[in-house]
Amino acid sequence: MKPNKIFIFIVILVAEFLFNDILLGRENPAEKKSSKAQSPLGVTGNPQYGLLNVNNWELWLEWNGRSGYNPFIEGDGGVYPKGTSFVIYQDGFVFGGPVIDTRTGQPPASERIRVGGQTYNQGMVAGAAPGGIPENPDDPGVRLYRIRRDYTDPNADLRGDAALFFQKSVSAVTDADIEALRAQYDKDWKEWPVAKGAPFIDRNGNGRYDPPPPGTLPDDLIAKGYDEPGLAGADPNSPADQVMWTVCNDFNDAASRSLYGSPPTGIELQITVWAYKRTDALGNVCFRKFRMINRGNFRLDSMYVSQWADPDLGDFGDDFAGCDTTIVGGKSVSLGFVYNSNSIDREFRKFGIPPPSGGYDFLQGPLVPGAPADEGIFDLKKRRGYKNLGMSSFNFFSAGSPISDPPQRQYEGTLRWWKMLRGFVADESTRPDRRWIDNTGKETVFPLAGDPVAKTGWYDGIPPALPPGDRRILLVTGPFKFAPGDTQEVVVAVVGGLGADRLSSISVMKFNDRFAQNTYDNLFAVPSPPTAPNVTVRELDGEIVLEWGSDLTTVNATEKTVRGTYAFQGYNVYQFPSRTSTLANGIKLATYDVIDEVTVVLDDQFDAKSGQILRLPVQLGTNSGIVRYYRINSDAVTGRPKLNNGQEYYFGVTAYSVSTDPFATPLTLESSPRILTAIPQSPKPGVRYGAPVGEQLTVTHKAGTSDGIITATVVDPGKTTGATYTVSFRETAEGETVWDLKRGGTTVYTSANQGSIPTGDLNDDF
């Protein structure tokens, strides 16, 4: 069958520039710097620190398990939203309980209660402890491992990654910085420590790790069924985009006692931290899995574990805390969070945004025996006859208040922690145990479980709560038995939310947390957004042209790949106020969508005006048809009708997909934007363009009987060469009619690679 019309747009590749500024947080010299703190890669190339920064968080992890600690500024290592101010000063994992020496069957003569982990001091040292024998921390294999799936992709924003990782402005990042970062990604990818317990994706299902062939691209890993380092849940084709892993142990007596005076318990702790490069709610979440292995000789019959945090939400002196224990879907939310006590926070005001909210959710507690019908989760697999413990208590205190930090390096600190782990107030060990008393006079193990948004129940700021201040929070789960040789896991989500004000930020954070919980409940079968388009920029006199149709490999990967129930639907073109803007800050200039029955897509979203989660339009398709270039000659950010030559402007193009399942959560997925900097400018002296943007080139029908109409449009005048192009038709051996585009005598495109010719209009870009 011959087509009625063929529209051909001639487009040539142009250069691309990627920028992403970084803004540093305040300095708080509360801790002494590590010897390797001058560079996260360390002087030997064996990092002690890693940074999760692939989505809307910047979250540091240290090889000994300490988290939220930025080695450059000695704290404030949890930044949200990325590129603004900090939400976390430090956090860590704390465990404890009374021990029985299995060699004697008796508790030790003294110091029976043991507490270990990480807070301000580190009770653990880097390295595994197979057979109860710790690794030497100086061994090259003892380090913080950090991988990113797209590190080999030339379109990956490693410049922005390097700026955050090395704490530089984007303009100060050198090519050497980028190559050092890429080399470390490559080293960690190739040396991923599966033998020590690091997770991997077993796509071939043989139960062992088979490293992928060198140079395999990320999409090929999935397409060809190769194993890869990293993490995926029930769907091996839904891997995390960035993963960090480390292992530490508490066998070192000096380190263990430096925490709260306890001698070692004999615990190995494997920590996996991961995130997804998303523009939806999951882009505001980081996940942590703590795998504990009892490598010692002590049995703990009543062990508790805790996610501890010292959250500093911008100005640390005006924080409030809270917890959420409401029942959703038959299970407790198990959330602890921080928010601002004032409408304005002086740190976030510097970035022109209201205070966000940050929280921690116990997605998975320890696995314990349950009823025959119960179903627990371990290693992202369901276990019949077991159940996972939820949050057993929540606790908080404030620096400088009557209830403050337990003393470090003293056994008194262990005894106070033992109170908190069991849900009691952190009083001195000589005082009787007492519960929190809420605003109605009732005892509770969940203080501040009211709703500060709805203003119901006991929430922070309502007596008997403490005045606003420098809060500490801890989420606790337990008790459970932990004998030598046992293994347990806890999974925690670190969640952020930014609303229109301090209270609506809590609502957004809880909304994002709901997505985190749904993701966990689906065993991290996370559908991926479409492959981001490869956008190039042409800078012209008072005009910018964006083009993303020349890279046919990327076009096909974007438009022809179906990920689960999600199929490509269209492109969005944005202008951004700055290099560091997020998708939420972008101004949508155009949408080009597939012509079908899908147009406006509604999904659950936070509505800033009402402070509620409403079903709102998230994609605004109009059946425009797919176009792969866009001309810009006005400034949508300022509203000015013209672009100024010599001024920087920021643009990006995303691809979005829509699920065929009307009950999917979320219903639509959108790729993350790569923000491009463009500067309109007149042609350089001596440069003359052969044709202006949008000019229709002359087309001559030379021979044959085809009634096809060919239209050639100039998109990038900087690449016009004056060459003659010929379109010809032929029939394949299978009887299909295909067409070829030739420049001179060389074929530069053939529809045979794209399938048979459809009827109606055909829009292809070159």
Side-chain angles (χ1 to χ4, degrees):
M1 177 180 292
K2 295 180 180 179
N4 295 321
K5 296 180 181 178
I6 301 175
F7 292 93
I8 301 175
F9 295 90
I10 299 176
V11 182
I12 312 296
L13 293 175
V14 294
E16 179 179 64
F17 299 90
L18 298 176
F19 295 92
N20 182 25
D21 273 342
I22 176 176
L23 293 161
L24 302 182
R26 68 175 175 89
E27 182 175 351
N28 190 331
E31 293 291 311
K32 186 176 180 180
K33 286 188 177 181
S34 163
S35 60
K36 290 187 180 180
Q38 296 303 315
S39 168
L41 294 182
V43 294
T44 63
N46 297 317
Q48 288 187 0
Y49 298 92
L51 175 64
L52 201 73
N53 61 352
V54 78
N55 63 8
N56 211 17
W57 274 95
E58 300 170 41
L59 187 62
W60 288 91
L61 176 66
E62 193 173 348
W63 65 339
N64 56 18
R66 176 167 57 175
S67 180
Y69 179 82
N70 183 330
F72 288 91
I73 57 175
E74 301 176 324
D76 295 329
V79 172
Y80 177 86
K82 182 166 67 176
T84 63
S85 190
F86 35 83
V87 173
I88 302 168
Y89 173 67
Q90 281 189 58
D91 63 18
F93 188 76
V94 178
F95 53 86
V99 300
I100 300 290
D101 191 331
T102 58
R103 295 166 295 188
T104 65
Q106 300 295 321
S110 63
E111 301 169 319
R112 181 189 178 192
I113 305 298
R114 305 287 172 90
V115 167
Q118 310 90 12
T119 59
Y120 302 107
N121 288 346
Q122 311 315 304
M124 310 190 84
V125 296
I133 301 175
E135 289 184 289
N136 185 346
D138 292 330
D139 186 277
V142 178
R143 64 178 191 261
L144 191 291
Y145 291 81
R146 177 178 184 249
I147 57 175
R148 174 174 172 156
R149 292 192 77 246
D150 63 353
Y151 79 97
T152 60
D153 185 349
N155 296 318
D157 184 16
L158 293 191
R159 184 172 297 276
D161 188 343
L164 295 169
F165 189 69
F166 295 116
Q167 299 286 274
K168 297 181 175 182
S169 66
V170 169
S171 59
V173 171
T174 65
D175 290 343
D177 291 332
I178 296 173
E179 289 312 307
L181 188 69
R182 196 190 306 273
Q184 189 65 48
Y185 275 132
D186 189 65
K187 178 181 175 70
D188 290 345
W189 182 275
K190 293 175 179 176
E191 298 178 6
W192 192 245
V194 171
K196 293 185 181 183
F200 68 96
I201 303 170
D202 185 20
R203 285 204 180 90
N204 60 23
N206 65 2
R208 67 172 186 268
Y209 178 57
D210 300 310
T216 307
L217 297 177
D219 287 342
D220 290 338
L221 292 167
I222 296 175
K224 297 179 180 179
Y226 292 139
D227 292 355
E228 67 173 280
L231 183 140
D235 182 1
N237 296 333
S238 299
D241 293 301
Q242 192 176 41
V243 184
M244 297 191 296
W245 188 87
T246 191
V247 57
C248 50
N249 68 84
D250 80 333
F251 279 83
N252 185 290
D253 187 78
S256 181
R257 292 181 183 275
S258 75
L259 186 63
Y260 294 108
S262 285
T265 305
I267 305 299
E268 176 181 303
L269 183 64
Q270 301 176 8
I271 305 173
T272 307
V273 184
W274 71 98
Y276 301 91
K277 186 180 179 181
R278 302 286 288 260
T279 57
D280 56 17
L282 278 185
N284 301 286
V285 182
C286 300
F287 296 94
R288 293 174 176 161
K289 182 168 71 172
F290 300 94
R291 172 172 285 187
M292 300 170 289
I293 305 175
N294 191 335
R295 302 287 197 188
N297 298 308
F298 295 108
R299 184 182 80 242
L300 295 94
D301 292 332
S302 296
M303 186 173 185
Y304 293 82
V305 297
S306 169
Q307 170 65 70
W308 167 88
D310 177 354
D312 284 359
L313 201 151
D315 181 0
F316 62 90
D318 63 353
D319 291 349
F320 273 163
C323 70
D324 188 346
T325 59
T326 55
I327 304 299
V328 177
K331 60 193 302 186
S332 173
V333 173
S334 297
L335 175 72
F337 58 94
V338 63
Y339 62 104
N340 218 55
S341 65
N342 299 321
S343 299
I344 295 175
D345 182 276
R346 64 182 181 183
E347 295 297 330
F348 286 98
R349 182 171 57 181
K350 297 174 184 177
F351 303 94
I353 60 174
S357 177
Y360 299 84
D361 190 338
F362 264 141
L363 300 177
Q364 173 188 313
L367 190 75
V368 298
D374 286 339
E375 200 170 52
I377 296 177
F378 184 87
D379 195 25
L380 298 182
K381 298 179 180 64
K382 294 187 177 180
R383 300 285 185 92
R384 179 71 67 173
Y386 290 85
K387 65 181 180 180
N388 296 107
L389 298 178
M391 183 168 68
S392 56
S393 65
F394 172 80
N395 226 311
F396 82 103
F397 50 91
S398 194
S401 74
I403 306 173
S404 190
D405 299 275
Q408 297 183 83
R409 301 182 179 89
Q410 303 176 36
Y411 194 66
E412 170 68 16
T414 286
L415 298 178
R416 292 195 197 181
W417 261 95
W418 180 231
K419 285 175 175 277
M420 292 191 295
L421 290 173
R422 292 176 294 142
F424 296 109
V425 177
D427 286 331
E428 295 86 351
S429 61
T430 54
R431 295 186 60 180
D433 293 341
R434 63 185 178 100
R435 301 289 188 193
W436 285 96
I437 305 297
D438 69 14
N439 60 326
T440 67
K442 295 181 180 179
E443 290 189 348
T444 180
V445 295
F446 296 109
L448 308 182
D451 187 341
V453 179
K455 292 183 170 46
T456 57
W458 182 32
Y459 54 91
D460 212 344
I462 301 295
L466 303 172
D470 189 5
R471 294 285 190 264
R472 319 284 195 259
I473 62 174
L474 53 145
L475 293 70
V476 180
T477 182
F480 58 94
K481 297 180 184 297
F482 201 48
D486 284 356
T487 300
Q488 280 286 3
E489 282 186 349
V490 173
V491 178
V492 177
V494 185
V495 189
L498 178 63
D501 53 52
R502 70 181 185 97
L503 295 180
S504 64
S505 288
I506 301 174
S507 299
V508 176
M509 183 270 297
K510 290 184 177 182
F511 174 70
N512 293 336
D513 180 60
R514 191 182 80 186
F515 275 72
Q517 185 67 59
N518 290 341
T519 301
Y520 169 78
D521 292 343
N522 290 322
L523 301 180
F524 292 95
V526 181
S528 301
T531 300
N534 183 14
V535 185
T536 59
V537 176
R538 172 57 62 182
E539 299 166 328
L540 303 171
D541 185 9
E543 186 173 27
I544 299 295
V545 177
L546 307 178
E547 178 274 314
W548 57 97
S550 302
D551 183 350
L552 296 179
T553 300
T554 301
V555 168
N556 288 332
T558 301
E559 299 182 13
K560 298 184 182 300
T561 302
V562 177
R563 304 176 190 268
T565 63
Y566 293 83
F568 169 78
Q569 185 62 30
Y571 294 104
N572 288 322
V573 183
Y574 295 91
Q575 182 177 350
F576 296 95
S578 71
R579 298 171 180 170
T580 57
S581 298
T582 64
L583 192 62
N585 305 132
I587 299 174
K588 192 178 294 184
L589 304 179
T591 296
Y592 299 120
D593 62 321
V594 175
I595 299 175
D596 58 13
E597 295 182 355
V598 179
T599 52
V600 176
V601 181
L602 303 177
D603 210 351
D604 289 344
Q605 294 288 302
F606 173 75
D607 178 52
K609 293 182 179 179
S610 65
Q612 303 296 316
I613 305 300
L614 304 176
R615 202 158 184 82
L616 300 171
V618 291
Q619 299 295 349
L620 302 173
T622 59
N623 280 338
S624 63
I626 297 301
V627 177
R628 304 185 190 94
Y629 76 98
Y630 189 74
R631 299 176 61 182
I632 306 160
N633 50 33
S634 62
D635 186 351
V637 171
T638 64
R640 294 172 181 168
K642 294 182 179 181
L643 299 180
N644 297 323
N645 283 356
Q647 179 177 333
E648 287 189 353
Y649 298 91
Y650 312 101
F651 303 98
V653 181
T654 63
Y656 71 93
S657 58
V658 177
S659 176
T660 55
D661 177 4
F663 301 103
T665 302
L667 191 58
T668 179
L669 301 172
E670 187 169 1
S671 65
S672 297
R674 290 186 295 113
I675 298 180
L676 302 135
T677 300
I679 304 174
Q681 53 192 285
S682 301
K684 294 181 180 179
V687 174
R688 296 184 64 183
Y689 296 138
V693 177
E695 179 171 300
Q696 301 290 315
L697 302 183
T698 301
V699 177
T700 303
H701 190 178
K702 288 189 175 181
T705 60
S706 170
D707 60 355
I709 299 174
I710 298 172
T711 302
T713 304
V714 174
V715 171
D716 185 355
K719 293 297 182 179
T720 54
T721 63
T724 299
Y725 289 80
T726 303
V727 176
S728 59
F729 297 88
R730 58 186 170 85
E731 191 170 288
T732 66
E734 292 76 21
E736 284 188 300
T737 300
V738 298
W739 56 274
D740 302 314
L741 175 70
K742 295 183 179 180
R743 181 173 56 237
T746 303
T747 300
V748 294
Y749 180 83
T750 176
S751 67
N753 295 333
Q754 309 299 314
S756 59
I757 301 175
T759 58
D761 292 352
L762 178 66
N763 295 280
D764 279 292
D765 296 349
F766 305 94

